[in-house]
Amino acid sequence: MTLNYIMLQAGGGIGSFLPLILVAVVFYFFMIRPQMKKSKKQKEFRSALAKGDRIVTIGGIHAKIKEMADTTVVIETEGGARMRIEKSAISMDFSSGKVEEAAQEIEQIK
């Protein structure tokens, strides 16, 4: 028996792993990579926040940033109430000129 005959009998070597490799590649490009991009964009957004920006929290609260610390932000709602929240709880920026950008980004995600 030759070596080629033995390899053919064994299942073809790398050919049997090809579907598994393709599934891993597809999973990376359709699941992992977009999530990493979104996470990076969100991190950049939160680091660019400034005092006076109008924001929306994850819970849907519309407010204006009054004070900023390393990981927390003091916001003021329309009624004048102040709350201290984590920066990670901020989802959108509604400062002037940025509303259109946010709408375009939402449309691109869909």
Side-chain angles (χ1 to χ4, degrees):
M1 287 195 213
T2 64
L3 184 59
N4 288 337
Y5 180 75
I6 294 171
M7 286 181 68
L8 286 174
Q9 292 292 327
I14 197 159
S16 62
F17 288 111
L18 191 58
L20 183 61
I21 293 169
L22 288 175
V23 167
V25 169
V26 168
F27 186 75
Y28 174 77
F29 281 106
F30 286 107
M31 300 293 281
I32 298 171
R33 192 164 178 245
Q35 186 63 33
M36 288 178 4
K37 279 185 172 181
K38 185 178 177 182
S39 177
K40 182 179 177 184
K41 191 179 229 181
Q42 196 73 356
K43 187 176 180 181
E44 290 172 358
F45 160 72
R46 288 184 180 130
S47 66
L49 288 172
K51 187 176 175 182
D53 285 349
R54 300 187 61 77
I55 54 105
V56 178
T57 66
I58 291 172
I61 299 171
H62 291 249
K64 188 175 187 178
I65 297 176
K66 288 296 182 180
E67 299 174 25
M68 295 189 69
D70 289 339
T71 59
T72 61
V73 175
V74 175
I75 60 173
E76 185 177 63
T77 61
E78 190 145 334
R82 288 185 175 213
M83 293 182 265
R84 181 175 307 274
I85 63 169
E86 294 291 319
K87 279 186 178 179
S88 61
I90 299 173
S91 67
M92 285 190 255
D93 185 1
F94 276 97
S95 297
S96 60
K98 295 186 180 178
V99 175
E100 293 83 16
E101 291 176 21
Q104 289 175 354
E105 288 179 16
I106 290 170
E107 286 300 317
Q108 288 176 352
I109 292 171
K110 291 180 182 177

